[in-house]
Amino acid sequence: MKYNNLLLDVDGTLIGTENSLVGHDPKLKYYLDSYIRGGGKIGLITGRSEYYTSVLYEFLGLNGVRIVEMGAGITMPDNERIELTPLDNKEEVKEFLRNNDIFKITKEEPKSFMISLLLPEFPHHNPQGLREIYNRIKEKFELSFPRAKISFDDYSIDIFNQKSDKGEAIKVYAKKDNVNLENVAIGGDSRGDHPGYKVIGENNGLICYVGLDDNYAEQLKKEFPNVYISKEKRSSGVVEIIKYLLSQ
């Protein structure tokens, strides 16, 4: 295979269907296994926690790297753990959230290097609720913690070290494991995956997009030389991508 190393986002990519944030394509496990049997490595690159990512990794029988919590930490294929950019003043940030009554309307996903807030109904929640909470605290938070970054997507509100970067974490992994980035494909579903796309794309690897934003898909095609936009979306898009990679 030309692209023998595949990095996949979790929410909206491995997890989720075109009509739902949860679930996955029933053919997904078969094609993940097929890619690995063909000599490929499949890793995860996500904002999700070390623990959650490891459980998913073991459940799916993956064999590549785990880049977690927005690139703040790495678990190598041999299980070596590398800490890169943990959130400073984590307890002070939690105190800020308590003082602004955020913990009364959200629940915290346990993480090693950052803070993520979920709605109590997660994963069967209305993403608009996250936007409203984010808009309520964003300005005040940024004034209080200039070295931290706050963001949100359909799944969570995330607070992390400004220096955390999925792309930089990919570089660390590639150097340590002697990976040629030209032979890497990376799959994601949102603009939050762009730091990883940028590093892979600039090194002539393959950018794979399974998301629903057609405008962003067009941006990717203009920005990078090697881009695959799946016709199927989310986890079904991953199945389509692996079929393509196996044919190369």
Side-chain angles (χ1 to χ4, degrees):
M1 286 184 294
K2 179 178 180 180
Y3 302 104
N4 57 15
N5 200 314
L6 175 59
L7 301 176
L8 293 170
D9 175 47
V10 174
D11 294 312
T13 304
L14 269 178
I15 305 298
T17 64
E18 188 160 356
N19 299 315
S20 174
L21 298 178
V22 297
H24 62 271
D25 189 294
K27 300 184 291 294
L28 178 64
K29 181 69 167 68
Y30 172 82
Y31 280 98
L32 293 172
D33 290 345
S34 296
Y35 183 86
I36 292 170
R37 285 196 302 269
K41 283 187 176 182
I42 300 179
L44 302 176
I45 181 164
T46 177
R48 296 301 291 267
S49 70
E50 276 190 304
Y51 175 76
Y52 176 89
T53 304
S54 293
V55 170
L56 184 64
Y57 181 92
E58 295 295 333
F59 177 73
L60 293 175
L62 306 184
N63 63 343
V65 70
R66 282 159 278 173
I67 295 173
V68 301
E69 302 188 25
M70 301 300 190
I74 301 173
T75 303
M76 297 292 290
D78 63 0
N79 289 320
E80 178 187 357
R81 183 175 179 269
I82 302 171
E83 183 175 306
L84 296 178
T85 52
L87 175 65
D88 297 327
N89 305 321
K90 198 172 181 180
E91 292 307 314
E92 292 179 29
V93 172
K94 289 185 178 182
E95 185 65 21
F96 169 90
L97 296 171
R98 278 191 288 269
N99 291 341
N100 285 272
D101 296 330
I102 301 303
F103 284 135
K104 291 182 179 180
I105 52 177
T106 65
K107 58 182 180 180
E108 183 181 358
E109 178 188 359
K111 290 192 172 181
S112 302
F113 309 118
M114 58 181 284
I115 294 171
S116 286
L117 304 172
L118 309 173
L119 290 176
E121 302 82 11
F122 177 87
H124 305 286
H125 63 283
N126 182 354
Q128 180 60 29
L130 293 170
R131 178 186 293 273
E132 292 170 358
I133 296 169
Y134 170 81
N135 288 338
R136 172 180 152 193
I137 64 171
K138 176 180 182 292
E139 184 175 351
K140 187 175 180 181
F141 177 87
E142 290 176 341
L143 288 172
S144 300
F145 300 99
R147 290 187 296 173
K149 185 173 181 179
I150 183 168
S151 66
F152 81 99
D153 58 20
D154 285 347
Y155 301 88
S156 62
I157 294 171
D158 297 311
I159 298 169
F160 50 97
N161 190 317
Q162 237 179 24
K163 294 181 180 179
S164 294
D165 187 294
K166 292 177 182 178
E168 292 303 312
I170 289 173
K171 292 178 185 178
V172 172
Y173 157 61
K175 183 176 181 179
K176 192 167 183 61
D177 214 33
N178 196 29
V179 172
N180 184 347
L181 294 177
E182 190 174 359
N183 300 125
V184 175
I186 181 171
D189 72 304
S190 73
R191 295 176 187 270
D193 300 309
H194 203 83
Y197 282 159
K198 185 174 176 61
V199 168
I200 300 302
E202 289 178 349
N203 284 276
N204 294 314
L206 181 66
I207 307 302
C208 303
Y209 181 67
V210 300
L212 306 177
D213 186 340
D214 291 337
N215 290 330
Y216 183 52
E218 289 302 314
Q219 177 186 330
L220 291 173
K221 288 191 286 186
K222 292 176 182 176
E223 187 171 351
F224 302 114
N226 303 317
V227 177
Y228 185 96
I229 308 298
S230 64
K231 294 178 182 177
E232 301 294 328
K233 301 304 176 186
R234 294 180 171 160
S235 59
S236 296
V238 174
V239 169
E240 180 184 329
I241 286 164
I242 294 176
K243 288 180 180 178
Y244 172 77
L245 296 178
L246 290 171
S247 72
Q248 298 302 294

